[in-house]
Amino acid sequence: MPPFDGGQLNSLLVRLKRGDGGALDGVLAAAGKRMLALAQGILGNRADAEDAVQESFLKIARSVHTFREDTNGYAWVMRIVRNAALDLLRKRKRRAEENIDLFFSLTDGSYSEERLNEAVALERAAARLEADERKLIYYRYYLDFTVREIARETGQSKSAVQRALDRAEKNLKSFLEAGQNPQ
């Protein structure tokens, strides 16, 4: 699986904004798996997640005119998916919390053995983080939120988020290093 290219997604959103309806297929190809993983993590099952992703594509097509070209398109798309999933929860009158632990399951059958080992090491290290630290890592590196976006999402100041994120990254690095050098 090729690495994710946020610039490509931004280009596709710009094309869609300028009237190229075919760019929506490109958005699906570029971010569809990640969109589904996010929705499934919130909703807990694949069928509901697929419904949320389908609704997300409708929302993206309807609201692409609000997308600012100088912003993070990936975060914009993932926020739409997150909101669609939460809307679905509200419609079904269920209450659920995002299970961010599912997002640290990075393994994929198409990975090489080396990449698979790295993903497993990252999963183990992330599991050792405190829940709030995992959430910050999730927002920053899975959803690709900026510190400002994380602050807005969590209701904290940017400086508090930056300090907490620095601490979480330091702990994650420490856990990764400890895993590579077992004693």
Side-chain angles (χ1 to χ4, degrees):
M1 180 163 67
F4 181 75
D5 182 357
Q8 177 192 19
L9 182 59
N10 273 27
S11 297
L12 290 163
L13 291 170
V14 169
R15 284 181 36 212
L16 186 62
K17 184 176 181 174
R18 293 180 180 160
D20 180 357
L24 198 55
D25 290 335
V27 172
L28 173 61
K33 287 182 182 180
R34 290 171 182 254
M35 293 168 71
L36 184 62
L38 173 61
Q40 194 166 346
I42 294 169
L43 295 165
N45 72 65
R46 187 172 179 96
D48 287 345
E50 289 172 350
D51 289 345
V53 170
Q54 184 174 14
E55 181 62 28
S56 298
F57 277 105
L58 293 173
K59 288 180 180 184
I60 289 168
R62 283 192 301 253
S63 63
V64 73
H65 67 280
T66 66
F67 173 67
R68 289 190 3 235
E69 297 177 23
D70 61 339
T71 61
N72 182 340
Y74 180 69
W76 186 79
V77 166
M78 297 308 269
R79 188 173 290 117
I80 289 172
V81 173
R82 179 179 179 272
N83 290 340
L86 293 173
D87 287 347
L88 187 60
L89 282 176
R90 281 189 282 277
K91 282 181 188 173
R92 296 193 177 159
K93 296 182 181 177
R94 288 189 292 167
R95 208 172 157 265
E97 295 239 350
E98 293 177 43
N99 185 354
I100 63 170
D101 293 330
L102 293 177
F103 298 105
F104 290 104
S105 179
L106 303 171
T107 57
D108 180 321
S110 65
Y111 281 179
S112 68
E113 185 175 342
E114 179 183 348
R115 182 123 189 242
L116 184 60
N117 290 337
E118 290 171 355
V120 168
L122 181 57
E123 284 181 50
R124 288 182 179 150
R128 294 179 63 190
L129 292 172
E130 298 291 327
D132 58 334
E133 292 176 326
R134 276 194 310 273
K135 192 167 197 167
L136 288 172
I137 296 292
Y138 159 73
Y139 280 139
R140 181 67 188 104
Y141 295 101
Y142 187 82
L143 294 181
D144 202 25
F145 279 16
T146 64
V147 171
R148 179 181 306 234
E149 291 166 331
I150 295 169
R152 188 173 32 240
E153 190 70 25
T154 60
Q156 298 177 5
S157 70
K158 282 183 0 183
S159 60
V161 167
Q162 186 62 60
R163 284 190 306 272
L165 187 57
D166 289 344
R167 204 170 32 255
E169 290 169 341
K170 180 181 175 191
N171 289 340
L172 184 60
K173 182 178 179 184
S174 161
F175 294 147
L176 281 167
E177 289 170 352
Q180 291 172 355
N181 304 316
Q183 303 184 354

